[in-house]
C-alpha cells in the first residue's frame, strides 16, 4: 500500500516539476524505504567436531533501509558516488531440511542488520523532460550482524538450542535502477530499486551449547525514495542559434548583421551663378573673382561632371563685336575656374553674344543685367 501511495505521489509531482536541468558537479543524497531479504537464504553449519550439522533456510520479515551518498555528476550523463546504507530485518523462522531436522519454525527470535559501503557508477538517460531514468551498479564491503536465539524442544533428534550474536564483513555487489524527478533547481526526487548481494557470511555461535560455525546467505532487495541536491548552480541552458542571411549563426535573442544594400549616393543639385562685367569689359571684378572662387570650392567637394559657361553682352555695338566680347567673357570665367582647381576638360565655354538677353532692350541700349556670364556646374 505504501509503495502504491509513493508511486501516485511521484506521478502527481510530474505535473508541476520543471524540465530536467543538466548538471555537472558534486551532489548529496539521502533516502529511506523498504528492505526485503530474499526468502530461503541458506543457513547451515559447517562440520565441526562435537556438533550436529544441519542445512536450513532462513526467512525474514520486511524491514527498513536508509542510505546516504556523496557523488559527482559528469557532463556526459555518468555519475560516480560513494554510498553508505543500513538495513534491518527481523528473523521469521529457520526451516527444517526435510531430512529429520525440524528447524525452529516458531520458536526463534532475532534480527539481521547490515552496514554497506559501496562505490557506484550510474548512467543517466537524459530525456530532456522532468523525469530522468538511470541504471548502475556498485561494489564494496558490507558488515552483516546476526543476533538469533532459538529453542526447539520437539526436535526429532532431541531438544535444540541456538545462540548467535556475531558479525562479519564481506564483499558485496549491487545493481541499481531508478527515476530522478526534478522538483526545483538543484533538487531531485530520487526513486530507486537496489539489489544487494553479499558473499556468504561465516558466523560464530552455539548449537546446544557447543561452538559452531554457521554459513549464512544474504541477498536483499530495497525500494528507496529520497532526495538528491546539487551543491553548485545548474549551468545555463544551451544557447540556441539561428542562421543569418550572410551564412553566419547568432543566438536566437541576437539580431543578425544588417543586410548590405547598395544605395546610390544622392547627386547634388547643380550650382548656378552669374558673373557680371563692366561696360565693354571682359576682365573679372574683385567681386566676380570671389564669387568664382567660392563656387569652385563648393563644386570640388563633389564629383564634377560638366561646367557650362555662357558669355553674354548687351545690345550696344555690332552683333559681330558682341559675339567676340561674349567669348572673351566666357573664357575669363573659364580661366578663373581652372585657377581654382576645376578640371579644364570638364569646362564647356559658349559665346551667345547679344542673343540671350536677361532683360530685353532696344538695340544700342546699355543694360548691366545683360553684361554677364552664366555658369552651371553639374555633378555625377
Amino acid at each position: 500500500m505504501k509503495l502504491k501511495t509513493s508511486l501516485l505521489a511521484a506521478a502527481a509531482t510530474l505535473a508541476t516539476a520543471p524540465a530536467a536541468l543538466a548538471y555537472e558537479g558534486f551532489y548529496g543524497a539521502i533516502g529511506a524505504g523498504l528492505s526485503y531479504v530474499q526468502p530461503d537464504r541458506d543457513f547451515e553449519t559447517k562440520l565441526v567436531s562435537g556438533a550436529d550439522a544441519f542445512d536450513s533456510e532462513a526467512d525474514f520479515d520486511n524491514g527498513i533501509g536508509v542510505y546516504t551518498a556523496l557523488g559527482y555528476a559528469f557532463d556526459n550523463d555518468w555519475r560516480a558516488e560513494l554510498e553508505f546504507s543500513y538495513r534491518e530485518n527481523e528473523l521469521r523462522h529457520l526451516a527444517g531440511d526435510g531430512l529429520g531436522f525440524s528447524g525452529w519454525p516458531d520458536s526463534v527470535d532475532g534480527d539481521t542488520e547490515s552496514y554497506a559501503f559501496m562505490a557506484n557508477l550510474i548512467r543517466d538517460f537524459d530525456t530532456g523532460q522532468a523525469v530522468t531514468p538511470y541504471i548502475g551498479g556498485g561494489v564494496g564491503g558490507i558488515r552483516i550482524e546476526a543476533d538469533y536465539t532459538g529453542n526447539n524442544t520437539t526436535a526429532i533428534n532431541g531438544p535444540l538450542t541456538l545462540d548467535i550474536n556475531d558479525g562479519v564483513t564481506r564483499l558485496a555487489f549491487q545493481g541499481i535502477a531508478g527515476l530522478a524527478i526534478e522538483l526545483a533547481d538543484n533538487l531531485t526526487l530520487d526513486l530507486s530499486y537496489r539489489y544487494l548481494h553479499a558473499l556468504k557470511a561465516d558466523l560464530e555461535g552455539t548449537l546446544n551449547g557447543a561452538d559452531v560455525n554457521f554459513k549464512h546467505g544474504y541477498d536483499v532487495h530495497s525500494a528507496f525514495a529520497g532526495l538528491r541536491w546539487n551543491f553548485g548552480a545548474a549551468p545555463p541552458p544551451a544557447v540556441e542559434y539561428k542562421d543569418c542571411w550572410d551564412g553566419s549563426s547568432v543566438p536566437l535573442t541576437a539580431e543578425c548583421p544588417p543586410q548590405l544594400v547598395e544605395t546610390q549616393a544622392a547627386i547634388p543639385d547643380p550650382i548656378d551663378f552669374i558673373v557680371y562685367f563692366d561696360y565693354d569689359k571682359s576682365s573679372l571684378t574683385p567681386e566676380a573673382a570671389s564669387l568664382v572662387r567660392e563656387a569652385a570650392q563648393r563644386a570640388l567637394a563633389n564629383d564634377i561632371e560638366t561646367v557650362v559657361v555662357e558669355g553674354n553682352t548687351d545690345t550696344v555695338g555690332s552683333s559681330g563685336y558682341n559675339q567676340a566680347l561674349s567669348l572673351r567673357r566666357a573664357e575669363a570665367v573659364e580661366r578663373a575656374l581652372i585657377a581654382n582647381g576645376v578640371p579644364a576638360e570638364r569646362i564647356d565655354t559658349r559665346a551667345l553674344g547679344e542673343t540671350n538677353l536677361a532683360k530685353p532692350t532696344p538695340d544700342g541700349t546699355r543694360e548691366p543685367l545683360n553684361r554677364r556670364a552664366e555658369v552651371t556646374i553639374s555633378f555625377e
Side-chain angles (χ1 to χ4, degrees), residues 60-77:
F60 297 85
D61 292 327
N62 292 335
I64 61 170
V66 296
Y67 74 92
T68 184
L70 176 65
Y72 188 89
F74 300 94
D75 62 356
N76 56 1
D77 294 329

Side-chain angles (χ1 to χ4, degrees), residues 98-118:
L99 301 174
F101 172 62
S102 59
W104 289 269
D106 302 310
S107 57
V108 69
D109 190 25
D111 62 14
T112 297
E113 295 178 304
S114 67
Y115 306 84
F117 188 81
M118 309 295 290

Side-chain angles (χ1 to χ4, degrees), residues 24-45:
E24 179 184 6
F26 288 99
Y27 65 87
I30 190 170
L34 175 69
S35 173
Y36 168 71
V37 177
Q38 193 167 320
D40 302 330
R41 294 303 83 205
D42 286 340
F43 184 77
E44 58 190 7
T45 64

